[in-house]
Amino acid sequence: MYLFIQRKYLLTQRLHRYQFNPHLTRDETITNVLVKSLTVFPDPDFSLCLSLLPSHTLAPLNSSVHAPAAGDAPLSEAVQKLNDLKNLLEGADYTAFWATLDSDDLYADLVADVSGFDELMRVRIAATVSQAVREVDRGILESWLNLQGKEFEHFVGTVCGWNVDGSNIKIPINKDNEAKGTVVRENVKFDRKCETER
Amino acid sequence: MSAKFQNGEVGSDDEEAMVVDYHTQVQYDGMEDLDRVSSMGGQDIHAQLQAAATPLEFQATLETKFASYDNYCNLFHFILNSDGPVDLDTPSSSWAWDVIDEFIYQFNSFCGYRQKIALKGDNEEEIQSLRDNPNTWGCYSVLNVLYSLIQRSQISEQLAATKRGEDPKLYAGEYGSRPMYQMLGYFSIVGLLRVHCLLGDFSLALKTLDDIELNKKSMFPRVMAAHFSTYYYVGFSYMMMRRYADAIRMFSHILVYVSRTKNFQKNAQYDSITKKNDQMYALIAICVAFHPTRLDDTIHTALREKYGEQFNRLQRGGPEALPLFEELFRSACPKFINPTPPEFDSPELNIDPVEHHLRIFMDEVKNNMMSPTVKSYLKLYTTMDLKKLAGFLEVDPEKLRCWLLVNKQRNRQVRWSEGGLLAGETVHSSDLDYALEGDLIHVAEAKVGRKLVDWYLRNLARTY
């Protein structure tokens, strides 16, 4: 985990350096960092990376005004496309996420440099699902993970360790999907007791 | 100019990298300021010290701003690069804070001004002089000054020693043992927090405070403005990192402090923080909308007075609340800075950085806007069918499933418990919890048990 945080930190540092030296900027590196930060959703890394980018990257694209001379229209386009993905992911609309990812060749180019992107995303999606769900319809989970048939069973059974039960997938109880009511009790400290005895 | 400062490789790789970058950058602008420095000796140093802590006039011209920058450069060069530490009587104890504060303030307003000129693009004369001086009030110079002051005074080492319970004097060195360097270094750390936050690097902003402990034993609470500013920027950074519970803790702390001490602080310093005070109430209202929680009574009352109806609308969420979030964010966020000079040739690229951060923030608001509605329904049941609830809410059941997942994710928040400001662990932060079993939603609530101790105490006191 520590290594992972370190890595995240280094990635943001690279953007940080580009912040000050636009002439050193390489679009590809920026988009790679962004794609990488998608794979740790729902942590806010992606948004924090966006904050480090030049302010025009998120401005609405207007192809007629945007002359090629105006610089990095491709970068803005890529950033906004990735931001769309982020919004779908954070909105937990995983089905739409996979559909959008498939809808444009640009996405394939963008994620190409992050090896195992699909797999990383699936693991992440599975993790968020397991926090909220005890049992889910197979069809829904298939579309969330964008996997079918044998591959689906392998991922769910072996990678996640969940049970396929007919048309339902059962997710073992964990701390988060347990949803147990608790009663917050008063904690009586010893010195309070002394007050009574006085 | 700052190339001649001691360069700040403040212990970590990224700073070293920045220094390297900085050197590459310096090769561009040449070292045109050698002659400026030589003019230092003869001037009245005390007038300079005083001037550095004095705000510019509101209507200051561009030339005044350039001149003020040169003054700061001279002064800091003199302080940092004379042969050995300089012996100066500083005008007052809060002088060091005033200098750093004013230095950053002028940097901030200069960037805003430059941005505006570039966006309008009609004042040829000023555009030309801004073009000719791309590095005046440059981010690198400002950061370099702050990092150099920190390093010269070895303040980080001193603070770390204090934390370990050792004598900080052992680590102070030739410079750091003098109060002026010590104070300048210390407030430079607080200043760095602000600059990094203005540049949009929120995690780095919090990281700079690693050595400073946010408690009354620290030095910064002794200067009211510093105390105030620190909590504002720490709170804001937490908010942008979606750590709302921590942000609320920060804002509450300082707002309670201000409301308790305002009767003792009827002076100019207090007036200057009134605006920031209102901004923090706006931010706390935003944070509470994301993370409903019980506030301190004083703050709750003040929030009701200031924002009343708006506060309720924020908490209700939904699409109608979006313009309100936008308005409050705009009025309460710091004046963000673009790290690089604007492109004077293509005005459409010079978007106000506030808009940029607003867009990022609003994505998060939109993502969460249905959570209050969903929660308000779930509170009424212990089990609920997803399709039925979707019918109540008049949405597609699959959409509702997404909302439930989102809300569940947002209930998990990193919260500080000890250590540096960035440290913390993920905790479940809502009194409402639920899980999906197929289409069945199981709802559980964390109830607060009866508070019996006070009741017993009261009655015992009455009986005996």
Side-chain angles (χ1 to χ4, degrees):
Chain A
M1 194 61 201
Y2 178 70
L3 255 180
F4 185 61
I5 294 170
Q6 273 296 317
R7 217 188 127 78
K8 266 161 63 170
Y9 187 64
L10 285 178
L11 285 175
T12 23
Q13 282 318 309
R14 196 172 302 161
L15 286 187
H16 183 77
R17 228 179 302 160
Y18 285 166
Q19 240 194 325
F20 297 97
N21 299 288
H23 58 278
L24 298 176
T25 307
R26 286 176 57 220
D27 292 359
E28 203 189 328
T29 318
I30 292 185
T31 54
N32 280 347
V33 172
L34 287 176
V35 172
K36 199 82 201 164
S37 64
L38 271 185
T39 63
V40 296
F41 96 98
D43 292 353
D45 299 55
F46 188 88
S47 300
L48 293 175
C49 288
L50 280 186
S51 305
L52 295 176
L53 296 183
S55 55
H56 62 85
T57 43
L58 278 185
L61 290 173
N62 188 338
S63 43
S64 59
V65 177
H66 235 286
D72 39 9
L75 177 65
S76 301
E77 192 190 348
V79 169
Q80 292 182 25
K81 290 228 154 200
L82 290 174
N83 195 36
D84 292 343
L85 283 189
K86 184 235 19 179
N87 286 336
L88 291 171
L89 281 173
E90 295 196 336
D93 200 347
Y94 305 128
T95 316
F97 163 75
W98 293 110
T100 313
L101 191 63
D102 262 350
S103 66
D104 194 329
D105 286 346
L106 184 62
Y107 282 122
D109 292 344
L110 287 173
V111 304
D113 280 343
V114 177
S115 59
F117 177 77
D118 287 9
E119 189 73 2
L120 286 170
M121 293 318 294
R122 277 185 195 115
V123 171
R124 220 51 206 183
I125 291 172
T128 61
V129 167
S130 75
Q131 285 163 8
V133 175
R134 289 182 209 163
E135 195 182 307
V136 59
D137 180 75
R138 179 173 174 145
I140 293 174
L141 193 60
E142 279 179 344
S143 73
W144 280 351
L145 294 173
N146 195 28
L147 283 177
Q148 276 81 32
K150 274 230 155 54
E151 283 174 316
F152 174 78
E153 274 156 35
H154 171 78
F155 184 83
V156 169
T158 319
V159 181
C160 307
W162 299 344
N163 308 317
V164 183
D165 178 16
S167 69
N168 281 326
I169 312 298
K170 279 198 156 60
I171 299 168
I173 293 283
N174 58 46
K175 193 166 108 289
D176 295 300
N177 71 2
E178 193 180 14
K180 209 167 65 180
T182 47
V183 178
V184 182
R185 285 187 189 284
E186 234 174 339
N187 202 358
V188 186
K189 294 225 177 73
F190 189 70
D191 53 332
R192 298 286 320 252
K193 255 186 183 163
C194 296
E195 274 177 57
T196 54
E197 277 155 25
R198 245 186 279 126
Chain B
M1 55 131 334
S2 18
K4 286 169 269 85
F5 291 161
Q6 187 188 21
N7 275 307
E9 12 87 51
V10 191
S12 58
D13 290 354
D14 46 291
E15 299 317 332
E16 259 169 274
M18 259 173 62
V19 171
V20 174
D21 282 349
Y22 175 66
H23 281 306
T24 49
Q25 170 132 335
V26 161
Q27 285 164 2
Y28 291 85
D29 66 26
M31 314 282 266
E32 21 73 51
D33 41 23
L34 273 171
D35 48 337
R36 286 181 198 164
V37 176
S38 56
S39 66
M40 190 66 207
Q43 284 178 23
D44 179 7
I45 185 70
H46 280 279
Q48 285 233 342
L49 292 176
Q50 198 65 59
T54 315
L56 281 187
E57 272 175 48
F58 184 64
Q59 293 292 346
T61 61
L62 202 52
E63 272 134 69
T64 324
K65 287 173 178 161
F66 282 155
S68 169
Y69 175 72
D70 286 346
N71 282 339
Y72 277 114
C73 289
N74 286 334
L75 181 66
F76 288 130
H77 183 76
F78 176 66
I79 290 176
L80 287 164
N81 297 344
S82 299
D83 298 330
V86 288
D87 237 334
L88 289 177
D89 288 331
T90 54
S92 74
S93 59
S94 63
W95 174 82
W97 163 256
D98 290 340
V99 169
I100 301 293
D101 181 52
E102 184 57 26
F103 179 60
I104 296 172
Y105 178 78
Q106 287 191 23
F107 162 61
N108 196 354
S109 58
F110 181 85
C111 290
Y113 185 76
R114 186 169 59 181
Q115 182 78 28
K116 223 186 285 165
I117 294 287
L119 197 62
K120 275 201 217 136
D122 55 358
N123 192 335
E124 274 310 316
E125 199 185 324
E126 292 204 331
I127 289 182
Q128 196 51 46
S129 70
L130 285 168
R131 257 186 223 270
D132 294 343
N133 297 286
N135 292 314
T136 303
W137 287 115
C139 283
Y140 263 106
S141 313
V142 172
L143 286 173
N144 209 328
V145 166
L146 297 175
Y147 276 119
S148 303
L149 285 169
I150 291 170
Q151 209 196 12
R152 261 288 188 238
S153 60
Q154 292 176 294
I155 191 72
S156 303
E157 290 82 352
Q158 295 189 52
L159 290 166
T162 319
K163 222 183 222 178
R164 290 193 304 266
E166 293 176 52
D167 183 6
K169 289 205 180 68
L170 297 173
Y171 298 85
E174 197 188 355
Y175 288 84
S177 47
R178 290 164 197 255
M180 183 187 76
Y181 285 94
Q182 208 184 15
M183 297 303 268
L184 279 174
Y186 186 87
F187 288 122
S188 294
I189 298 182
V190 180
L192 260 189
L193 159 76
R194 175 161 156 202
V195 173
H196 284 311
C197 186
L198 289 171
L199 291 168
D201 201 337
F202 307 108
S203 46
L204 187 59
L206 293 179
K207 203 175 149 49
T208 50
L209 284 199
D210 269 355
D211 294 316
I212 293 185
E213 285 183 81
L214 291 183
N215 59 31
K216 295 207 177 67
K217 271 180 273 168
S218 287
M219 195 148 50
F220 72 91
R222 288 182 215 160
V223 183
M224 182 59 199
H227 192 190
F228 204 70
S229 149
T230 307
Y231 276 88
Y232 171 80
Y233 287 103
V234 170
F236 190 84
S237 301
Y238 270 139
M239 187 183 97
M240 293 305 273
M241 296 183 78
R242 302 185 192 158
R243 294 174 62 164
Y244 303 110
D246 286 326
I248 293 173
R249 192 166 48 86
M250 290 295 149
F251 293 137
S252 308
H253 169 93
I254 194 69
L255 290 172
V256 168
Y257 179 82
V258 170
S259 73
R260 289 208 183 127
T261 55
K262 69 180 164 201
N263 295 331
F264 312 112
Q265 311 238 12
K266 286 268 182 248
N267 54 26
Q269 221 188 21
Y270 181 71
D271 289 339
S272 72
I273 61 178
T274 320
K275 190 183 159 207
K276 273 255 159 338
N277 206 40
D278 286 350
Q279 288 185 323
M280 284 206 264
Y281 274 110
L283 291 175
I284 213 169
I286 290 176
C287 290
V288 172
F290 277 110
H291 173 72
T293 186
R294 221 186 125 79
L295 290 171
D296 182 281
D297 284 342
T298 352
I299 295 176
H300 196 80
T301 320
L303 259 185
R304 291 230 163 276
E305 271 168 29
K306 279 184 209 294
Y307 293 106
E309 174 57 15
Q310 289 182 317
F311 185 47
N312 290 336
R313 269 165 61 205
L314 284 180
Q315 286 188 302
R316 231 177 295 137
E320 314 83 58
L322 292 180
L324 194 55
F325 273 103
E326 212 174 302
E327 183 195 323
L328 286 183
F329 184 86
R330 256 183 230 278
S331 70
C333 71
K335 290 194 182 63
F336 289 110
I337 294 175
N338 258 340
T340 50
E343 306 266 345
F344 293 104
D345 297 319
S346 35
E348 78 276 6
L349 288 183
N350 301 318
I351 312 276
D352 184 352
V354 171
E355 297 303 310
H356 180 67
H357 292 280
L358 179 68
R359 281 193 182 107
I360 297 168
F361 173 75
M362 287 311 289
D363 272 348
E364 175 63 7
V365 175
K366 280 178 208 149
N367 190 29
N368 276 294
M369 68 185 179
M370 294 319 290
S371 293
T373 321
V374 174
K375 268 191 208 167
S376 67
Y377 273 97
L378 288 180
K379 272 199 177 136
L380 306 174
Y381 304 92
T382 51
T383 51
M384 180 71 184
D385 186 68
L386 184 113
K387 297 214 166 73
K388 200 164 142 198
L389 182 57
F392 288 160
L393 294 167
E394 296 171 353
V395 289
D396 179 52
E398 292 317 304
K399 190 82 217 158
L400 176 62
R401 212 186 291 272
C402 296
W403 288 351
L404 287 169
L405 288 178
V406 171
N407 185 35
K408 187 88 184 184
Q409 282 164 23
R410 285 303 181 267
N411 281 343
R412 291 163 54 81
Q413 240 181 71
V414 180
R415 199 186 288 189
W416 180 88
S417 55
E418 57 181 344
L421 289 173
L422 280 177
E425 47 193 300
T426 314
V427 291
H428 184 86
S429 64
S430 166
D431 52 357
L432 187 84
D433 200 5
Y434 56 85
L436 282 161
E437 192 168 6
D439 277 351
L440 196 64
I441 313 167
H442 294 272
V443 187
E445 211 169 341
K447 290 198 189 77
V448 179
R450 287 182 64 187
K451 302 241 171 197
L452 292 171
V453 173
D454 284 317
W455 188 84
Y456 276 129
L457 281 177
R458 248 195 337 268
N459 282 285
L460 281 169
R462 203 184 295 156
T463 335
Y464 297 105

